[in-house]
Amino acid sequence: MRLAALLAALRPALPLVLGLSLGCSLSLLRASWSQAGAEEPCPGAAGRAELRGDARPEAAEAGPARGHEDFRPRIVPYYRDPSKPYKKVLRTRYIQTELGFHERLFVAVLTSKATLNTLAVAVNKTIAHHFSRLLYFTGLRSAKVPHGMVLVAHGDERPIWLMYETMYYIHQHFGSDYDWFYIMQDDTYTQAEQVKALVTHLSINQDVYLGRAEEFIGGDEQARYCHGGFGYLLSRSLLLKLHPHLDSCRNEILSVRPDEWLGRCIIDFLGIACVSQLQGQHYHTYELAKNADPEKEEEEEFQAAIAVHPVSDMTLMYRLHKRFSRIQLERAYQEIQELQMQIRNLTSLTPAGEASLTWPVGINSPFLPKSRFEVISWDYFTEQHLFSCLDGSPKCELSGASKADVSDIIESALEQLNSRYQPLLRFSKRQLLNGYRRFDPTRGMEYTLDLLLEAVTQKGHSHVLVKRVSLVRPLSKVEIIPMPYVTEATRVQLVLPLTVQDLDFVSNFLDMYAMNTLDTHDNALLTLLFIYHPYDAQRVSQVDVFAGVKAMVGELEKRYAEVKIPWISVKTEVPSQVKLMDIVSKKHPVDTLFFLASVWTEINMEFLNRCRMNTISNWQVFFPVHFQEFNPALVYRGEQTASSSTDFLRDGHFDRHSFAEACFYNSDYMTARTKLAADILDRDEVLESMEVFDVFLHYSGLHLFRAVEPGLVQKYALRSCNPRLSEELYHRCVLSNLEGLASRSHLAMALFEQEQANST
């Protein structure tokens, strides 16, 4: 009875027990099979295979052939020598660099003494901005380089020698960095975008010698070379194979033309002839007749040409560029119309039907705000004035880029109206009555114009009418700007100017500096700049206003024995940022990376790394826009403050009026400062109205990277604005203080509470 009762109680659990037992049995059985399959092969069999010479690991692997081994992934085991000390490996931030990817296209232009300042300059102005790397090669010695060009002078004007030296130089300096090499002459007009599109459709795993194929005089019909006047394209693999034979070609091949010499060298030693089409891609060229007019060239061969030759002078080069730019623009408009027609046809098949069709067709729909705080405001303007100014004034004169933008949009509106209503009506502008514009981040700049127009019919009758038009300048294609490679190992030299008004905030700055850089052993040093008022400087032997700060520095140096924090004393009534940097710049090497900080800045490793990455010597300087916290007395009004994680929409804003923080190299500053000194001569009072940002903006050709920096947070503090500075700097400081009080909602609530208190 007891057994029957026990079985009755266990009967519901029997399926579970059987399932677990079966699962465990199968797992043990599978483990035994895996161990049996992982056994090493028989030593005798391996030895016999080695004696027969059949032990080929690549044949045993089910992978690509030997010719494709460059594209087969390899796993490199990590090994560290125990006898050597461990060193942290610095890895790059870019996967492209770590995987060894190459840049796409390198362009070389062959020029001469007679055409360097004419045709070469025209080539540079028409195509240089399309290519990431473009160099000019000449045989001149110590040639004067035109502005904006990178010239390589070989010192020998013989054509064959110039070609030999150019190929050798390209291989030595760029052979391992680029996939394609385009060689052209300065009397050739090239459609840069067509060349870039061509290389994107060609495989990099082949030996490519592509151009306009020409026959050798009296030679074999199968052997062809690429005509140098129309340019030609070489692949990286072909350049690597050709390099060992360049010396032999120079000594053995006799030719008058450099393109024939190069073609013969490639054919004799590599067996590769020039082709005009490859992998379905055609290299179209056009030979320009003497005294030809580009505006009258209507042949299909001309419009499809990648390269046009010969170009006799600069004017013809610019006319060709204008003609081909118009052709490309017409093609783009035609493609846009075709795409819009396809979108209209497909919209009827969507669930929403034609209601989902946006205007303009193919452009994102307007941004829909979720609250009243997200509404994008419209800016009102006329042809002479703008009624929403950067400085906060209600009305300012329309000038510069804004004036050009308004003029262009009015012309575009008239052009669109005439293209739609002609030949029945022809419109001409009399006056812009009202203009509105706003920037929608989802689609671009939107405009609404009220135009007073005069409409003329075919019979000559005219009528004045008011027409409202809407236009959109959509966001264009995003372009990735090529930037030089930088690392995070650069030492940052912090420069902190201090005045008497800043003494209350120095302690917090030094604490953050010690915690985030000294404790973490970050490669960052600090230099203090004590700015004495003349009155305080006279009494420094009795009372030193910076004695407390110097004591704090001494404590830090005792705590961190390997750290030295130097300071520089300056006596001035007007602490000009440029004059202070002049003093600091002379005391540091030219390769120093400066971070010009303010006493309210909270230093952290995240921002220091971005300072290193965003500042590139002889290329770019970085001016971050710090995040400024609001006045807690207005934001919280006695409530408990927010948590450590800052709520950007509630607790502060990005202070665009402040240019106190900056990252730049000393060499770049010295170069710009030299140009500034030549401009102002001995008028040092001009420096009082300038900041370091103005020096780089007006006297350097570098990129000025101005971006919001969430890692650079400053606590609220009322800045002291020096009235001795220029009116612009003083006004900017006042605006920074006013906008840093609180948001509009907080200010409105504070005013409301004040009125309620006064009324009671």
Side-chain angles (χ1 to χ4, degrees):
M1 295 295 293
R2 293 181 179 178
L3 181 61
L6 180 63
L7 291 176
L10 295 177
R11 183 173 299 172
L14 285 179
L16 177 62
V17 175
L18 291 176
L20 291 175
S21 302
L22 182 60
C24 294
S25 302
L26 290 177
S27 63
L28 293 174
L29 184 61
R30 181 181 178 184
S32 62
W33 286 347
S34 302
Q35 293 175 0
E39 293 180 358
E40 296 181 359
C42 178
R48 290 192 296 272
E50 185 177 356
L51 291 175
R52 294 197 305 269
D54 293 337
R56 294 178 295 176
E58 62 270 18
E61 297 178 1
R66 179 176 292 273
H68 300 276
E69 62 181 1
D70 291 338
F71 304 96
R72 185 170 57 196
R74 302 184 182 90
I75 299 177
V76 181
Y78 173 75
Y79 172 75
R80 183 170 66 90
D81 192 351
S83 61
K84 296 182 179 180
Y86 173 74
K87 184 179 180 182
K88 183 179 179 181
V89 178
L90 181 65
R91 297 188 62 179
T92 63
R93 275 179 175 259
Y94 307 107
I95 190 173
Q96 179 178 1
T97 305
E98 191 158 318
L99 296 180
F101 290 173
H102 303 132
E103 296 292 337
R104 176 69 65 178
L105 181 63
F106 173 85
V107 180
V109 181
L110 304 178
T111 183
S112 62
K113 179 180 180 180
T115 59
L116 175 61
N117 294 300
T118 54
L119 286 175
V121 172
V123 170
N124 191 68
K125 290 183 177 181
T126 54
I127 69 172
H129 55 284
H130 292 279
F131 297 118
S132 60
R133 197 59 181 269
L134 186 144
L135 264 66
Y136 296 83
F137 295 87
T138 181
L140 295 174
R141 288 185 180 273
S142 64
K144 185 177 180 181
V145 183
H147 178 70
M149 298 171 57
V150 181
L151 185 68
V152 178
H154 295 307
D156 195 322
E157 298 187 22
R158 291 176 294 177
I160 304 301
W161 185 266
L162 176 61
M163 177 61 70
Y164 163 78
E165 289 290 343
T166 299
M167 299 302 299
Y168 190 86
Y169 184 92
I170 292 175
H171 175 272
Q172 184 178 8
H173 293 84
F174 306 102
S176 58
D177 298 332
Y178 290 85
D179 288 329
W180 300 100
F181 302 88
Y182 185 70
I183 318 295
M184 59 176 288
Q185 299 174 181
D186 58 1
D187 60 346
T188 305
Y189 176 78
T190 303
Q191 290 203 68
E193 293 298 327
Q194 297 281 17
V195 176
K196 292 168 64 176
L198 176 66
V199 298
T200 57
H201 291 83
L202 295 176
S203 174
I204 63 174
N205 196 31
Q206 293 186 9
D207 299 331
V208 176
Y209 182 33
L210 182 65
R212 176 163 174 164
E214 298 283 346
E215 296 182 1
F216 291 99
I217 299 177
D220 186 8
E221 294 183 357
Q222 300 298 327
R224 294 174 178 267
Y225 71 95
C226 288
H227 195 290
F230 297 94
Y232 44 89
L233 191 67
L234 304 177
S235 63
R236 176 174 174 268
S237 59
L238 184 139
L239 182 65
L240 296 179
K241 294 177 181 178
L242 179 65
H243 177 257
H245 307 292
L246 286 176
D247 292 334
S248 301
C249 294
R250 182 190 59 181
N251 299 327
E252 298 176 8
I253 299 177
L254 299 178
S255 180
V256 178
R257 293 171 53 92
D259 49 1
E260 289 187 5
W261 173 84
L262 181 62
R264 177 58 65 189
C265 180
I266 296 175
I267 293 172
D268 291 350
F269 289 93
L270 303 182
I272 300 174
C274 176
V275 293
S276 298
Q277 57 179 346
L278 183 68
Q279 301 175 12
Q281 302 299 314
H282 295 262
Y283 190 86
H284 298 285
T285 60
Y286 186 81
E287 186 171 357
L288 201 62
K290 190 176 182 180
N291 299 326
D293 186 2
E295 298 295 333
K296 298 181 180 179
E297 298 288 345
E298 300 291 343
E299 298 90 341
E300 184 177 352
E301 182 182 0
F302 174 81
Q303 298 188 8
I306 296 178
V308 177
H309 175 79
V311 181
S312 56
D313 53 52
M314 297 176 61
T315 304
L316 183 58
M317 182 77 72
Y318 296 135
R319 293 173 64 192
L320 284 169
H321 185 64
K322 178 182 177 181
R323 173 67 172 145
F324 278 106
S325 298
R326 185 180 292 112
I327 292 174
Q328 293 296 331
L329 190 61
E330 292 174 355
R331 291 176 180 172
Y333 283 143
Q334 181 65 30
E335 186 177 356
I336 289 173
Q337 292 179 0
E338 294 176 357
L339 291 174
Q340 289 179 339
M341 185 61 67
Q342 295 176 12
I343 292 174
R344 288 192 180 95
N345 295 335
L346 293 174
T347 302
S348 59
L349 304 178
T350 61
E354 295 184 357
S356 63
L357 192 65
T358 61
W359 179 89
V361 179
I363 305 296
N364 294 331
S365 58
F367 172 73
L368 295 177
K370 297 181 180 179
S371 67
R372 61 189 179 91
F373 298 104
E374 298 180 358
V375 175
I376 304 175
S377 61
W378 290 85
D379 298 334
Y380 179 75
F381 63 89
T382 62
E383 292 185 80
Q384 293 81 25
H385 296 92
L386 184 65
F387 291 83
S388 57
C389 308
L390 294 177
D391 57 358
S393 59
K395 179 180 178 182
C396 55
E397 185 177 356
L398 195 64
S399 60
S402 294
K403 186 175 183 63
D405 176 57
V406 171
S407 300
D408 180 65
I409 207 67
I410 293 175
E411 292 179 3
S412 299
L414 288 175
E415 182 181 350
Q416 293 294 329
L417 287 173
N418 286 321
S419 63
R420 176 173 297 185
Y421 292 101
Q422 278 186 350
L424 300 178
L425 293 174
R426 182 174 59 84
F427 293 96
S428 60
K429 179 185 72 71
R430 281 197 171 186
Q431 184 184 355
L432 172 65
L433 300 178
N434 302 294
Y436 309 89
R437 68 178 180 181
R438 71 172 184 176
F439 178 73
D440 189 334
T442 62
R443 55 198 243 137
M445 188 70 79
E446 299 179 346
Y447 303 86
T448 299
L449 306 178
D450 292 331
L451 296 171
L452 183 64
L453 303 173
E454 181 180 3
V456 181
T457 64
Q458 289 179 308
K459 297 182 178 180
H461 301 291
S462 63
H463 179 69
V464 177
L465 72 160
V466 177
K467 185 79 172 178
R468 167 166 284 195
V469 295
S470 298
L471 302 97
V472 176
R473 192 190 298 273
L475 294 173
S476 59
K477 180 181 178 182
V478 178
E479 180 182 1
I480 299 178
I481 302 176
M483 303 291 287
Y485 174 73
V486 293
T487 65
E488 296 180 355
T490 308
R491 172 179 293 177
V492 179
Q493 180 65 56
L494 282 76
V495 179
L496 179 64
L498 290 175
T499 61
V500 178
Q501 292 80 9
D502 303 331
L503 295 179
D504 296 336
F505 310 97
V506 178
S507 177
N508 181 68
F509 177 89
L510 294 177
D511 291 341
M512 298 300 296
Y513 169 72
M515 181 176 63
N516 294 329
T517 59
L518 300 182
D519 291 342
T520 59
H521 302 284
D522 192 271
N523 196 9
L525 302 179
L526 174 63
T527 297
L528 298 178
L529 200 60
F530 296 140
I531 305 172
Y532 286 88
H533 190 273
Y535 175 75
D536 296 328
Q538 293 175 359
R539 303 171 57 248
V540 70
S541 58
Q542 293 83 18
V543 179
D544 188 356
V545 293
F546 293 107
V549 181
K550 295 177 181 178
M552 296 179 194
V553 171
E555 292 295 329
L556 283 179
E557 292 180 345
K558 289 180 181 179
R559 192 192 313 171
Y560 305 94
E562 71 282 359
V563 175
K564 297 296 179 182
I565 303 179
W567 65 69
I568 304 172
S569 299
V570 181
K571 181 180 72 173
T572 180
E573 293 185 5
V574 184
S576 169
Q577 196 180 54
V578 178
K579 289 184 177 180
L580 296 178
M581 274 310 305
D582 289 346
I583 299 173
V584 178
S585 176
K586 296 176 182 178
K587 297 182 180 297
H588 290 84
V590 295
D591 59 345
T592 303
L593 172 58
F594 285 125
F595 168 43
L596 185 59
S598 62
V599 71
W600 306 281
T601 304
E602 295 184 357
I603 305 299
N604 59 72
M605 187 182 300
E606 178 185 359
F607 168 72
L608 290 178
N609 285 335
R610 268 200 286 270
C611 178
R612 296 181 178 103
M613 300 297 290
N614 293 331
T615 310
I616 305 173
S617 179
N618 199 28
W619 186 271
Q620 179 173 282
V621 293
F622 180 41
F623 286 86
V625 181
H626 68 257
F627 183 79
Q628 177 67 52
E629 293 186 356
F630 287 142
N631 188 347
L634 292 175
V635 174
Y636 304 110
R637 298 187 303 279
E639 300 176 1
Q640 187 178 1
T641 59
S643 61
S644 58
S645 59
T646 305
D647 184 359
F648 287 172
L649 298 179
R650 173 177 171 84
D651 296 344
H653 74 123
F654 288 101
D655 189 1
R656 58 187 177 89
H657 298 291
S658 175
F659 293 86
E661 292 86 13
C663 296
F664 53 89
Y665 278 91
N666 193 15
S667 57
D668 296 333
Y669 177 78
M670 294 172 64
T671 302
R673 186 65 178 85
T674 303
K675 296 180 180 179
L676 171 62
D679 187 26
I680 66 174
L681 298 178
D682 296 330
R683 296 176 296 146
D684 290 342
E685 65 276 4
V686 179
L687 301 179
E688 298 177 0
S689 63
M690 300 182 66
E691 291 184 320
V692 173
F693 178 82
D694 301 316
V695 175
F696 284 107
L697 179 64
H698 299 291
Y699 297 97
S700 75
L702 306 178
H703 296 273
L704 268 68
F705 185 36
R706 176 88 167 145
V708 295
E709 178 51 62
L712 201 61
V713 180
Q714 294 189 7
K715 298 293 184 182
Y716 172 78
L718 187 63
R719 273 65 164 170
S720 59
C721 301
N722 193 336
R724 292 180 175 270
L725 296 175
S726 66
E727 182 180 355
E728 181 182 357
L729 297 181
Y730 180 78
H731 183 62
R732 191 188 299 167
C733 178
V734 172
L735 282 178
S736 179
N737 279 334
L738 293 177
E739 293 186 3
L741 287 175
S743 64
R744 292 186 176 182
S745 59
H746 292 122
L747 293 174
M749 184 61 66
L751 290 174
F752 176 75
E753 292 179 355
Q754 183 179 2
E755 291 180 357
Q756 291 292 328
N758 294 334
S759 63
T760 57

